[in-house]
């Protein structure tokens, strides 16, 4: 065994430290080793922050304890819960030094070799730096412990890090108080045994994925003028002045026409939230870091988001789709996996996705809705989550409708006026940089988002299955715009739940010549507008089915 092998084998995720301070020379040598680590595109994307403040350590420890409780709740049984609680998973306050290792996503503002496949390559470079630091410390008789059980957004705010700086974790650094019997601590405490040898498999067969492109088909017209008259007659014969129920009458007629019955019923309503990340987010177009997408998907799955509350309130089934989040979720999560990639590329410099990826979006989006339709559901709402997706939606709206980008851009997650102007300039430059073909498919691939195109495909599939389609806010309406461009007949099945606070949404609704049910100044997304509008839709169905007619109630229908 070589000396290097010994260092590699003895490197430990350390949670027990002595009080001995770290000499400057030791720290400098370790950080230099981190600087020597591989970095994608030879970028200087890794930055280090040192923490010795007792007050800061305590605050970070409190963040850990908060998320540690969430981790405890995720254990699978009582013995595992007890075993987890017995583990020492950090030494934030005991270790003499805290080290925060960050990657700077602003390097992606310029073309960076090696990031075309995934923007995460920047993060991977910082992980390589962390490993080099660990090995250097081990060789010098010191060590680190990686603390990742944190809310990274709160952690970032606590440290006052700029928007572009993303931490990969908090590291406790110091002189180890034990060698854990020369084995990983989790192994020493029998939490889990790591197998002796690496997993290796040689691949020799190519697997070609088949991408369906049948989403261009247009279903036949099924509604008749005679049936429309029958529905209107039933509505007009209810015990009320003609037209007095306003929008409810419009909805009732639309729903009856969709289902071709005078007694329509909403069956197993379902809202599907599609989540994905966007390369354009690396240019600071959002008030929040990209990792919020991953955090919010976890929140959806934990039942803690607004859409969870409203779906539960209105007895609506909720499905969450990973259309392309820049994160690998655990397999056991109740999550529909339709990941095209770990976020799109930045369309400031290149196409957001390839045409093959665009085709996959349509294939996967259609499959998800087809599966839901097979359960008997006849009503589906669409929602989304993705940091940066208002920018993507704004550009798609501009290139499809011909509106100036300034007319299509809003504050999204709540950026200030200065950031809004920067956002407009970035998106304007992105459109100016486009040199591709003028057809819709080319523009969708260049400027699209994985979740937006999957929603468009899902809407088309919902129409093919004659489902009632509920559209949420601005981003979902842009997805509808794509679907409508493919098949204008989809309009007959579609209900627009609300007019959002995004300034471009009203313009887009007017362009489509449609009206929204609600105007509540919402700008949350997630499909919340669909869930909030659903009771009104149910009321429209209820009055059509259950309200007495003039004849059945013995009330005169003559006007005074």
């Amino acid at each position: 065994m070589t000396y290097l092998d010994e260092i590699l084998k003895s490197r430990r995720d350390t949670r027990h430290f002595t009080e001995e301070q770290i000499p400057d020379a030791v720290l400098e040598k370790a950080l230099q080793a981190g600087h020597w680590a591989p970095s994608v595109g030879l970028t200087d994307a890794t930055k280090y922050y040192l923490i010795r403040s007792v007050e800061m350590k305590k605050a970070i420890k409190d963040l850990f304890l908060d998320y540690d409780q969430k981790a405890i709740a995720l254990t699978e049984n009582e013995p595992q819960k007890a075993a987890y609680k017995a583990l020492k998973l950090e030494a934030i306050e005991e270790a003499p030094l805290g080290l925060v290792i960050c990657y700077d996503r602003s390097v992606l503002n310029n073309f960076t070799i090696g990031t075309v496949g995934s923007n995460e390559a920047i993060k991977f470079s910082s992980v390589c730096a962390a490993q080099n630091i660990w090995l250097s410390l081990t060789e010098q008789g010191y060590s680190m412990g990686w603390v990742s059980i944190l809310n990274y957004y709160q952690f970032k705010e606590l440290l006052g890090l700029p928007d572009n700086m993303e931490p990969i974790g908090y590291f406790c650094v110091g002189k180890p108080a034990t060698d854990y019997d020369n084995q990983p601590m989790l192994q020493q405490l029998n939490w889990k045994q790591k197998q002796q040898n690496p997993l290796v498999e040689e691949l020799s067969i190519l697997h070609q994925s088949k991408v369906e492109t049948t989403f261009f088909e247009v279903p036949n017209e099924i509604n008749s003028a005679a049936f429309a008259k029958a529905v209107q007659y039933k509505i007009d014969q209810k015990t009320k002045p003609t037209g007095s129920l306003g929008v409810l009458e419009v909805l009732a007629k639309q729903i009856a026409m969709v289902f071709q019955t005078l007694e329509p019923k909403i069956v197993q309503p379902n809202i599907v939230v599609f989540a994905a990340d966007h390369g354009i987010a690396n240019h600071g177009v959002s008030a929040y870091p990209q990792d919020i997408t991953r955090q919010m998907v976890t929140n959806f799955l934990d039942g803690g988001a607004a859409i969870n509350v409203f779906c539960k309130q209105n007895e609506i089934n909720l499905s969450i789709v990973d259309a392309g989040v820049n994160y690998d979720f655990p397999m056991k999560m109740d999550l529909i996996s339709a990941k095209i990639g770990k976020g799109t590329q930045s369309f400031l410099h290149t196409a957001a996705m390839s045409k093959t990826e665009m085709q996959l979006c349509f294939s996967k989006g259609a499959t998800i809705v087809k599966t839901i339709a097979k359960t008997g559901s006849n009503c589906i709402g669409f929602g989304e989550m993705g940091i940066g997706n208002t920018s993507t939606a704004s550009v798609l709206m501009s290139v499809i409708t011909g509106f100036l980008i300034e007319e299509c851009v809003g504050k999204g997650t709540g950026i200030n006026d200065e950031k809004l102007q920067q956002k407009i300039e970035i998106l304007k430059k992105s459109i100016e940089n486009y040199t591709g073909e003028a057809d819709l498919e080319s523009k969708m691939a260049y400027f699209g988002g994985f979740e937006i195109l999957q929603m468009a495909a899902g809407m088309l599939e919902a129409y093919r299955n004659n489902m009632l389609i509920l559209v949420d806010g601005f981003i979902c309406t842009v997805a509808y715009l794509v679907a409508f461009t493919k098949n204008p007949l989809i309009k007959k099945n579609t209900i627009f739940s609300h007019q959002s606070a995004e300034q471009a949404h009203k313009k887009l609704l007017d362009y489509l010549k449609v009206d929204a049910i609600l105007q509540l100044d919402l700008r949350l997304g997630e499909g919340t507008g669909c869930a909030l509008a659903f009771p009104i839709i149910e009321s429209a169905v209820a009055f059509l089915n259950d309200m007495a007619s003039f004849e059945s109630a013995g009330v005169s229908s003559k006007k005074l």
Side-chain angles (χ1 to χ4, degrees):
M1 182 180 289
T2 67
Y3 183 53
L4 176 60
D5 291 335
E6 291 176 359
I7 296 298
L8 290 170
K9 192 173 182 181
S10 60
R11 185 205 64 77
R12 293 284 169 263
D13 190 10
T14 304
R15 283 90 182 261
H16 296 84
F17 295 94
T18 69
E19 295 181 356
E20 181 179 329
Q21 295 299 310
I22 303 171
D24 290 343
V26 170
L27 182 60
E28 289 170 8
K29 184 177 179 180
L31 294 177
Q32 184 62 53
H35 190 61
W36 287 333
S39 62
V40 65
L42 209 61
T43 55
D44 285 316
T46 304
K47 185 169 182 178
Y48 310 102
Y49 297 90
L50 306 179
I51 296 176
R52 294 188 174 91
S53 163
V54 173
E55 181 184 8
M56 289 191 71
K57 288 180 182 179
K58 184 182 183 307
I60 295 167
K61 175 70 173 283
D62 289 341
L63 283 184
F64 165 83
L65 291 174
D66 179 50
Y67 251 45
D68 192 46
Q69 289 301 310
K70 296 192 70 153
I72 290 170
L74 292 173
T75 52
E76 297 170 0
N77 49 54
E78 287 304 318
Q80 189 183 63
K81 192 185 299 292
Y84 178 87
K85 288 180 177 180
L87 298 173
K88 181 174 174 56
L89 298 176
E90 52 77 36
I92 297 169
E93 293 184 293
E94 301 98 305
L97 178 68
L99 173 65
V100 181
I101 302 177
C102 297
Y103 63 97
D104 181 0
R105 58 186 170 88
S106 71
V107 301
L108 295 168
N109 287 344
N110 301 305
F111 173 69
T112 303
I113 293 174
T115 61
V116 175
S118 172
N119 291 333
E120 276 203 303
I122 294 294
K123 182 191 296 184
F124 300 155
S125 297
S126 295
V127 173
C128 288
Q131 177 73 340
N132 269 20
I133 292 169
W134 226 322
L135 293 173
S136 175
L137 287 170
T138 301
E139 189 270 338
Q140 298 180 81
Y142 293 82
S143 190
M144 290 199 312
W146 192 336
V147 181
S148 59
I149 304 174
L150 295 164
N151 180 311
Y152 278 78
Y153 182 62
Q154 289 179 300
F155 181 51
K156 187 173 168 178
E157 279 199 327
L158 185 70
L159 301 180
L161 299 181
D163 286 347
N164 55 292
M165 206 62 70
E166 304 291 349
I168 65 170
Y170 179 90
F171 296 83
C172 306
V173 186
K175 189 83 167 179
T178 175
D179 63 2
Y180 303 112
D181 291 334
N182 201 29
Q183 58 182 311
M185 189 198 74
L186 294 180
Q187 183 171 310
Q188 179 198 26
L189 297 177
N190 296 313
W191 175 264
K192 189 174 183 179
Q193 298 297 312
K194 190 173 184 179
Q195 60 186 47
Q196 291 293 317
N197 300 311
L199 298 170
V200 182
E201 179 182 355
E202 182 176 348
L203 300 176
S204 58
I205 300 174
L206 285 173
H207 295 268
Q208 300 290 344
S209 61
K210 295 181 180 179
V211 179
E212 297 180 8
T213 59
T214 57
F215 54 89
F216 298 100
E217 295 176 359
V218 178
N220 295 325
E221 169 71 69
I222 63 171
N223 298 330
S224 67
F227 184 73
K229 286 182 180 179
V231 177
Q232 190 62 55
Y233 178 80
K234 183 177 181 181
I235 292 171
D236 291 343
Q237 290 305 301
K238 296 298 183 181
T239 50
K240 59 171 181 58
T242 302
S244 60
L245 283 178
V247 173
L248 288 182
E249 297 190 24
V250 177
L251 289 172
K253 184 174 182 179
Q254 179 183 6
I255 294 166
M257 294 293 290
V258 167
F259 297 136
Q260 290 287 284
T261 174
L262 293 174
E263 296 181 348
K265 289 181 174 61
I266 304 294
V267 181
Q268 296 187 41
N270 200 311
I271 291 178
V272 188
V273 180
F274 292 78
D277 279 309
H278 297 253
I280 195 67
N282 292 308
H283 306 289
V285 294
S286 172
Y288 294 94
Q290 189 180 78
D291 193 52
I292 293 294
T293 307
R294 186 267 306 174
Q295 293 178 24
M296 282 305 301
V297 169
T298 302
N299 192 25
F300 296 149
L301 298 172
D302 289 343
I307 188 60
N308 300 97
V309 173
F310 299 144
C311 281
K312 184 178 179 180
Q313 175 192 13
N314 295 305
E315 298 182 345
I316 303 170
N317 296 319
L318 178 62
S319 304
I320 309 300
V321 178
D322 174 9
V325 181
N326 197 357
Y327 182 76
D328 291 314
F329 292 97
M331 294 291 290
K332 70 176 184 177
M333 284 184 153
D334 188 17
L335 179 68
I336 298 173
S337 179
K339 192 188 289 289
I340 306 298
K342 290 185 175 180
T344 57
Q345 299 301 308
S346 169
F347 52 68
L348 178 61
H349 301 302
T350 186
M353 66 187 81
S354 66
K355 286 195 175 181
T356 299
E357 288 174 323
M358 179 196 69
Q359 301 267 4
L360 280 170
C361 285
F362 277 91
S363 177
K364 288 179 180 289
T367 298
I368 289 165
V369 173
K370 186 184 295 184
T371 301
I372 291 171
K374 285 180 179 178
T375 67
S377 172
N378 67 357
C379 178
I380 186 168
F382 290 85
E384 45 62 42
M385 175 63 212
I387 295 300
N389 63 5
T390 54
S391 293
T392 299
S394 296
V395 172
L396 282 173
M397 175 182 168
S398 177
V399 299
I400 294 174
T401 65
F403 291 135
L404 295 175
I405 189 62
E406 291 88 344
E407 301 176 87
C408 304
V409 178
K411 292 190 175 182
T413 48
I415 57 176
N416 59 32
D417 290 340
E418 182 182 355
K419 281 260 189 180
L420 176 60
Q421 192 55 45
Q422 291 175 7
K423 179 178 178 179
I424 291 172
E425 291 303 318
I426 288 170
L427 301 186
K428 192 173 184 180
K429 185 177 180 182
S430 298
I431 295 173
E432 290 171 352
N433 288 347
Y434 180 68
T435 57
E437 300 296 324
D439 61 287
L440 178 61
E441 283 69 43
S442 296
K443 290 178 179 178
M444 284 194 303
Y446 198 93
F447 295 111
F450 294 143
E451 83 280 35
I452 293 175
L453 298 189
Q454 285 193 25
M455 284 193 293
M459 291 172 188
L460 290 168
E461 184 63 30
Y463 177 67
R464 273 194 289 269
N465 285 273
N466 202 39
M467 302 173 81
L468 197 63
I469 301 165
L470 310 184
V471 176
D472 191 36
F474 173 60
I475 295 152
C476 290
T477 305
V478 170
Y480 169 84
L481 173 66
V482 173
F484 177 79
T485 305
K486 293 290 184 186
N487 183 3
L489 290 178
I490 195 175
K491 186 175 184 177
K492 299 182 179 188
N493 288 52
T494 306
I495 295 174
F496 296 83
S497 60
H498 76 107
Q499 180 186 313
S500 82
E502 275 294 296
Q503 62 121 7
H505 195 203
K506 175 66 164 63
K507 192 172 188 68
L508 183 53
L509 292 173
D510 290 343
Y511 174 85
L512 293 165
K513 297 178 181 177
V514 297
D515 294 312
I517 297 176
L518 302 171
Q519 187 171 352
L520 302 174
D521 285 337
L522 303 176
R523 54 180 179 85
L524 178 60
E526 302 178 9
T528 48
C530 298
L532 291 170
F534 186 71
I536 297 174
I537 293 167
E538 284 192 308
S539 295
V541 173
F543 104 75
L544 182 63
N545 290 336
D546 303 331
M547 187 175 176
S549 66
F550 287 115
E551 182 179 357
S552 67
V555 176
S556 174
S557 62
K558 294 180 180 179
K559 296 179 182 178
L560 296 177

